[in-house]
Amino acid sequence: MEPWNMHHVPSVEMEELDLAFFYVARTEDGRIIGAGGYKILSPEEGKTTLLGVYPEFQGMNIGKALQNARLEAMYDAGVKYVTTNADHPETIVWYRKHYGYEVVGRLEKLCAFSLEDVTHWTTLRMDLVRHFETRAEREIAAAAYIEGNDPHPLNPFPPLMINVCLTGMVPTKVSTPYVPVHVEEIVADAIRVYDAGARIVHIHARDERGLPTPDARYYEAILTGIRRERPGMVCCVSTSGRNWSDFERRSEVLHLTGAAKPDMASLTLGSLNFLSGASVNTINMVERLAMTMQEKGIRPEMEVFDYGMVNLAKYLERHGIIKGRKYFNILLGNLNTAPATLGNLTMIAEALPEDSVWAGAGLGGFQLPMNAAAVAAGGHVRVGIEDNIHYDYERKVLASNEALVRRVARIAEELQRRIATPDETRAMLGLA
């Protein structure tokens, strides 16, 4: 913007100003630090006459406030188009960037005025009606965001989906009292995390002794219990290969129907070693599980621990074994797979097939940084006791699933990403 102390008014370039059509910016002690004027040329045409802010007060949006005030005054008077002349290149850019002006011509200066080495004014014109319509649309969108209905118009990321792995195969009541192992405990914990902001629950069943089981009867009780209390929750069951190698037991849960039918099922895209043992996932096994999921209308929750596992997802898609919207958990920090680094998270996320959504997870002490990185990067989050039983790096505080979800929700709030609704979650996952 042009410092107003470079202008000399009146002159052959500018007639005497009508202060009835002027706005002045003042400090609290009354000092004038900026001014902006306008002139109505006809019922539909208006013109700006002067806009200036003292240099020491520039960069504080004072000029923008003055410009907004005079545009509102002209709009209220019925003006549809506004013309502005400027010679500073940065001023021209400013008008075009913030107000949608278009360059419509140039006007030779009648005397040295403003920038003396520039011999002409650049004439700019804006559609005032369209400007206010667009601003109203932005304000409506922003108000909807505040009410929690839509993403903020300036936030490029979708609402956040939080996926909670409640139990897993390894944690026991000896290692942490917070791990839910019995049917009633798992259902109650799912309710708590849903109320804290989670929309997807990753379920491992345990039997009466608290031991992992593939028995579909336990899954049936868990799924119907969750849906009875929180019907909006997306339920994902495990087909893990850590404890069972045969297809029949791993796929048993996929045959549930009715209120117990899973929305999703885990599909680990390769074999890997954990400290507690191996998870064996041959290509043939992955294909058979994926084909069964497709037959039953269950969406795969694809687990990726290494870059090469993405290749298998693309292979499955080429052969029509997986289709449509794809969901991936990127799990980093295991000793024998990809380390938990921002570089690995970025590399794997960018390598995913088209029409994919992903969630970031860190194992053990890497849970928090990978969760935070995923929120900041526009991905989603997998969190839970299965991946880390501790809340802190020093391993002095045991975590509950609810506490882990609430921490992710706080991080998301600070980054201005609201939590997805159940309907939004299903839409993003490609679920009916």
Side-chain angles (χ1 to χ4, degrees), residues 12-269:
V12 293
E13 282 283 359
M14 182 177 293
E15 68 273 19
E16 188 169 352
L17 299 173
D18 186 344
L19 298 183
F21 297 91
F22 234 79
Y23 289 92
V24 174
R26 299 177 183 270
T27 60
E28 291 184 355
D29 60 4
R31 178 187 172 191
I32 295 177
I33 58 174
Y38 68 97
K39 183 177 182 180
I40 296 178
L41 304 177
S42 73
E44 293 190 352
E45 294 282 343
K47 181 180 183 296
T48 62
T49 55
L50 177 67
L51 179 65
V53 177
Y54 274 114
E56 61 266 36
F57 292 96
Q58 291 181 7
M60 301 171 65
N61 283 329
I62 297 170
K64 199 168 187 179
L66 292 166
Q67 169 75 349
N68 290 341
R70 63 184 182 176
L71 291 182
E72 289 175 5
M74 285 186 275
Y75 181 74
D76 290 342
V79 169
K80 296 181 178 179
Y81 301 98
V82 175
T83 299
T84 296
N85 289 314
D87 60 350
H88 284 252
E90 62 271 23
T91 303
I92 295 168
V93 170
W94 184 83
Y95 278 122
R96 298 188 68 185
K97 175 182 177 181
H98 293 289
Y99 297 97
Y101 278 91
E102 295 182 356
V103 176
V104 296
R106 55 189 288 169
L107 184 66
E108 295 300 318
K109 290 183 178 178
L110 301 178
C111 65
F113 196 81
S114 190
L115 289 183
E116 296 187 2
D117 58 340
V118 178
T119 61
H120 67 277
W121 301 103
T122 296
T123 301
L124 306 160
R125 194 167 190 258
M126 70 174 291
D127 184 330
L128 190 60
V129 175
R130 180 57 191 152
H131 167 74
F132 277 96
E133 287 177 349
T134 303
R135 193 175 80 170
E137 291 168 1
R138 289 197 301 268
E139 290 173 350
I140 291 170
Y145 165 75
I146 293 171
E147 294 297 324
N149 298 323
D150 290 299
H152 192 283
L154 299 181
N155 188 334
F157 298 143
L160 179 70
M161 297 186 293
I162 302 176
N163 183 349
V164 189
C165 48
L166 298 175
T167 304
M169 292 282 198
V170 177
T172 66
K173 291 292 188 180
V174 174
S175 59
T176 173
Y178 295 111
V179 62
V181 294
H182 301 298
V183 169
E184 297 78 10
E185 291 179 329
I186 294 172
V187 172
D189 215 29
I191 293 169
R192 284 191 289 269
V193 298
Y194 179 91
D195 293 346
R199 295 294 175 257
I200 310 169
V201 63
H202 178 99
I203 303 165
H204 287 258
R206 301 280 184 101
D207 62 18
E208 286 84 355
R209 297 171 297 169
L211 299 177
T213 178
D215 192 328
R217 293 175 300 173
Y218 293 95
Y219 280 104
E220 181 176 17
I222 294 168
L223 289 163
T224 54
I226 292 172
R227 293 209 170 107
R228 183 171 54 249
E229 299 297 329
R230 296 296 183 272
M233 178 74 87
V234 173
C235 295
C236 176
V237 296
S238 175
T239 65
S240 174
R242 293 181 72 168
N243 290 40
W244 310 282
S245 59
D246 59 294
F247 172 76
E248 287 69 28
R249 281 189 290 179
R250 292 182 65 171
S251 65
E252 183 178 339
V253 69
L254 303 178
H255 296 276
L256 291 172
T257 59
K261 178 184 175 181
D263 297 296
M264 305 178 74
S266 66
L267 186 68
T268 304
L269 296 174

Side-chain angles (χ1 to χ4, degrees), residues 304-357:
V304 173
F305 291 81
D306 242 328
Y307 188 84
M309 293 185 182
V310 177
N311 293 335
L312 186 58
K314 294 178 178 178
Y315 169 87
L316 296 175
E317 186 172 42
R318 285 199 304 273
H319 289 274
I321 299 173
I322 59 173
K323 297 178 181 179
R325 179 62 54 81
K326 292 161 286 293
Y327 173 87
F328 294 85
N329 283 328
I330 302 174
L331 300 107
L332 303 177
N334 177 54
L335 178 63
N336 201 211
T337 51
T341 66
L342 293 178
N344 284 333
L345 182 66
T346 302
M347 179 178 65
I348 293 173
E350 290 181 345
L352 297 177
E354 292 184 5
D355 199 16
S356 296
V357 293

Side-chain angles (χ1 to χ4, degrees), residues 361-384:
L363 305 186
F366 299 108
Q367 184 174 70
L368 177 57
M370 290 299 100
N371 286 170
V375 176
H380 304 279
V381 166
R382 165 174 157 141
V383 71

